[in-house]
Amino acid sequence: MTGATNLVQHEIVGDVYEPPPPLAPFVPPRTRSAAEEARTLVASAQVGALATLSEDGTPWASMVTYGAMRDGAPVLYVSVLAEHGRNLARAPGASLLVVDGTAQGDPLDAGRVTLAGRARQPSDAEVETVRAAHLAALPGAKAYEAFGDFSFWVLGVERVRWVGGYGRMDSAGAADYAAAEPDPIAPAAPGAVAHLNADHGDALLAIARSLCGYSDATAARATRLDRYGLDLDVETPRGAAPARAGFEEAPLRDPAQLRGATVELARRART
Amino acid sequence: MTGATNLVQHEIVGDVYEPPPPLAPFVPPRTRSAAEEARTLVASAQVGALATLSEDGTPWASMVTYGAMRDGAPVLYVSVLAEHGRNLARAPGASLLVVDGTAQGDPLDAGRVTLAGRARQPSDAEVETVRAAHLAALPGAKAYEAFGDFSFWVLGVERVRWVGGYGRMDSAGAADYAAAEPDPIAPAAPGAVAHLNADHGDALLAIARSLCGYSDATAARATRLDRYGLDLDVETPRGAAPARAGFEEAPLRDPAQLRGATVELARRART
């Protein structure tokens, strides 16, 4: 797996906006892989939508809470009295959708990931590890242990489909998903993006002009931050375009590195 | 369909809290039916989780946006390039999960509904009605009409499972769902609940004592409002309990009636 993003090849029947290209030669900086995006989204939430197979053979969507194992496998705790519990007991094929709850605005531009695979009940040897993974994310789930109809299920992830928003999407396999790390700076990213836009518009413009090839940029706004770099929306007399600048010290390993990494980008843009 | 709620009969293996009963004879006021709850949730959102059947026969969960027809049938607009679009074209059985996005706190106490049925592409005669239903909810979806790979799909609803939170759940059939109305006061309810709790704690306590049978109540907090009445959490020396008071003029037909209906409850509680 690379970090490359594959664009959907839509059949164009009307006017579709084509952003202007950079004016200077530009090597696209590394981005998170689909597996990293998926692990990051899964780590950011405790609620998802589970698809299971109902008795009549049609798919059933239901809300579930989950914690994640160290390899990113979601751990559910569901009642066999609920339709999804009965479904898992009968047909283990299932998938879990997790949507970025922090996204603002157009819902179709929100990040989301589907993890598809097979659900299994933990063996006696692993049940304490599985239980601990669920309760670490959802301490309140202890209350369900008063009910005898709840069981833990581990969704063994076989394939992953990530959609990051418009034109950002890719797939990953089981091994890449299990091996990838959740981005450690993700929890701090929305606040840092807001701060950059509120207080450092000049630095963002310098970055767009010097580091992203948009020497004709007239404005730049931060849209996303990850451990590898900074995404921008850039305004030019030729129209608006997305752009990206990579951190020198990527991948960042701690949110505390975020400030230094963006200061270094601004310094590099101005020299 | 009645408005009654069927409780899941959990198998009890530990300590489970039993709220104290009312001290005075108490007739439970009408609540929204499962069909009304479902129509209200579906009307409140434009984003859901779709379960479709993948080529390998396992269920696939994905995010979709939707508008609703007058009978509550969701209208999707999906690309045949996306997995869910290919799935619907091959196997029309599908379900849509909609979760209450305004719920705070414990995610398992949030309202949600699953609509299960069969998806179909509209006939030439109905395509304009279907398109209008989608675009009324999602004006931005017009942009997708520039792509030839998007089609409208109507999810014909055959069965409905509503979960309102802990101990509040019920099912509904196709006819009840189609005939039910979204609760017209729902958009105003969260604000009105917050206002009652901020400014009218004395009135809520009087309502709990006089109208809900909790004559020993020491505090009461509003938790939900609907067109039929007001839900409370009541504190008593015997423990906490949920309670409900019905509006005299139920069902309300307009958010503008909400203030008068709650004032009337307080007046009745004090006389």
Side-chain angles (χ1 to χ4, degrees):
Chain A
M1 286 306 301
T2 71
T5 295
N6 66 344
L7 294 167
V8 170
Q9 296 302 312
H10 289 290
E11 177 197 342
I12 309 297
V13 297
D15 290 335
V16 173
Y17 181 71
E18 283 280 349
L23 293 174
F26 177 72
V27 180
R30 180 171 177 181
T31 59
R32 293 192 296 223
S33 69
E36 288 176 297
E37 293 284 358
R39 290 294 299 267
T40 303
L41 267 171
V42 167
S44 75
Q46 290 87 40
V47 182
L50 184 72
T52 54
L53 206 60
S54 287
E55 196 160 13
D56 65 1
T58 62
W60 182 253
S62 60
M63 195 187 86
V64 290
T65 52
Y66 69 89
M69 304 278 283
R70 290 171 63 104
D71 67 356
V75 177
L76 318 176
Y77 193 39
V78 302
S79 169
V80 76
L81 299 174
E83 181 148 347
H84 55 212
R86 299 195 307 271
N87 290 350
L88 288 178
R90 191 189 324 103
S95 62
L96 180 71
L97 167 71
V98 177
V99 178
D100 179 4
T102 69
Q104 305 284 320
D106 184 346
L108 290 174
D109 206 26
R112 64 266 194 189
V113 63
T114 299
L115 312 176
R118 249 149 252 284
R120 62 185 166 79
Q121 290 189 278
S123 66
D124 288 352
E126 66 178 342
V127 71
E128 268 314 309
T129 309
V130 164
R131 177 176 178 269
H134 189 85
L135 293 180
L138 299 151
K142 274 200 167 83
Y144 293 99
E145 300 190 304
F147 300 116
D149 47 279
F150 277 78
S151 325
F152 291 106
W153 290 84
V154 180
L155 179 62
V157 177
E158 297 171 9
R159 66 190 179 101
V160 173
R161 179 68 178 168
W162 162 70
V163 179
Y166 293 112
R168 302 173 66 234
M169 56 192 70
D170 203 353
S171 300
D176 287 319
Y177 177 77
E181 275 183 0
D183 187 336
I185 73 122
V193 164
H195 168 69
L196 288 173
N197 287 327
D199 295 347
H200 299 286
D202 287 358
L204 296 175
L205 183 56
I207 290 166
R209 286 178 175 163
S210 300
L211 305 183
C212 305
Y214 285 95
S215 50
D216 62 342
T218 55
R221 197 174 60 83
T223 54
R224 275 180 299 266
L225 273 169
D226 57 61
R227 69 192 306 185
Y228 300 109
L230 165 67
D231 284 336
L232 300 168
D233 273 349
V234 175
E235 300 289 333
T236 81
R238 300 172 294 137
R244 181 169 174 84
F247 295 136
E248 200 164 65
E249 57 265 66
L252 308 186
R253 303 195 179 280
D254 192 291
Q257 293 175 270
L258 208 42
R259 187 173 176 282
T262 49
V263 167
E264 189 279 328
L265 272 188
R267 187 196 54 72
R268 199 160 16 118
R270 283 165 169 155
T271 55
Chain B
M1 289 306 302
T2 71
T5 296
N6 64 345
L7 294 167
V8 170
Q9 295 302 310
H10 289 291
E11 177 196 341
I12 309 296
V13 296
D15 289 336
V16 173
Y17 181 72
E18 284 280 348
L23 294 173
F26 177 72
V27 180
R30 179 170 178 180
T31 59
R32 293 193 295 223
S33 68
E36 288 177 296
E37 293 284 358
R39 290 294 301 267
T40 302
L41 267 171
V42 168
S44 75
Q46 290 87 41
V47 182
L50 185 71
T52 54
L53 206 59
S54 287
E55 195 160 14
D56 66 1
T58 61
W60 183 253
S62 59
M63 196 187 85
V64 289
T65 51
Y66 68 89
M69 305 277 284
R70 290 172 64 104
D71 67 357
V75 177
L76 318 177
Y77 191 38
V78 301
S79 168
V80 78
L81 299 176
E83 180 147 348
H84 55 211
R86 299 196 305 271
N87 289 350
L88 287 178
R90 188 188 329 102
S95 62
L96 180 72
L97 167 70
V98 177
V99 178
D100 180 4
T102 69
Q104 305 284 319
D106 184 345
L108 290 173
D109 207 27
R112 63 265 195 191
V113 65
T114 299
L115 312 176
R118 251 147 250 283
R120 61 184 167 78
Q121 290 189 278
S123 66
D124 288 353
E126 65 179 342
V127 71
E128 268 313 310
T129 309
V130 164
R131 177 175 178 271
H134 189 85
L135 294 180
L138 299 150
K142 274 202 167 84
Y144 293 99
E145 299 190 307
F147 300 115
D149 47 279
F150 277 77
S151 325
F152 292 107
W153 290 85
V154 180
L155 179 62
V157 176
E158 297 171 8
R159 65 189 180 102
V160 174
R161 180 67 178 169
W162 162 70
V163 179
Y166 293 113
R168 302 173 65 234
M169 54 192 71
D170 205 352
S171 300
D176 287 318
Y177 178 77
E181 274 183 2
D183 187 337
I185 74 122
V193 164
H195 169 68
L196 288 173
N197 287 327
D199 295 347
H200 299 287
D202 288 358
L204 296 176
L205 183 56
I207 290 166
R209 286 177 174 164
S210 300
L211 305 183
C212 305
Y214 285 95
S215 49
D216 62 342
T218 55
R221 197 176 59 83
T223 54
R224 277 180 298 266
L225 273 168
D226 58 61
R227 70 191 308 187
Y228 300 110
L230 165 67
D231 283 338
L232 299 170
D233 272 349
V234 175
E235 300 290 334
T236 80
R238 299 172 294 137
R244 181 169 173 85
F247 294 137
E248 201 164 67
E249 56 265 64
L252 308 187
R253 304 195 178 283
D254 192 292
Q257 292 175 273
L258 207 42
R259 188 172 175 282
T262 50
V263 166
E264 189 280 327
L265 272 188
R267 186 196 53 71
R268 202 165 8 122
R270 283 165 168 155
T271 56

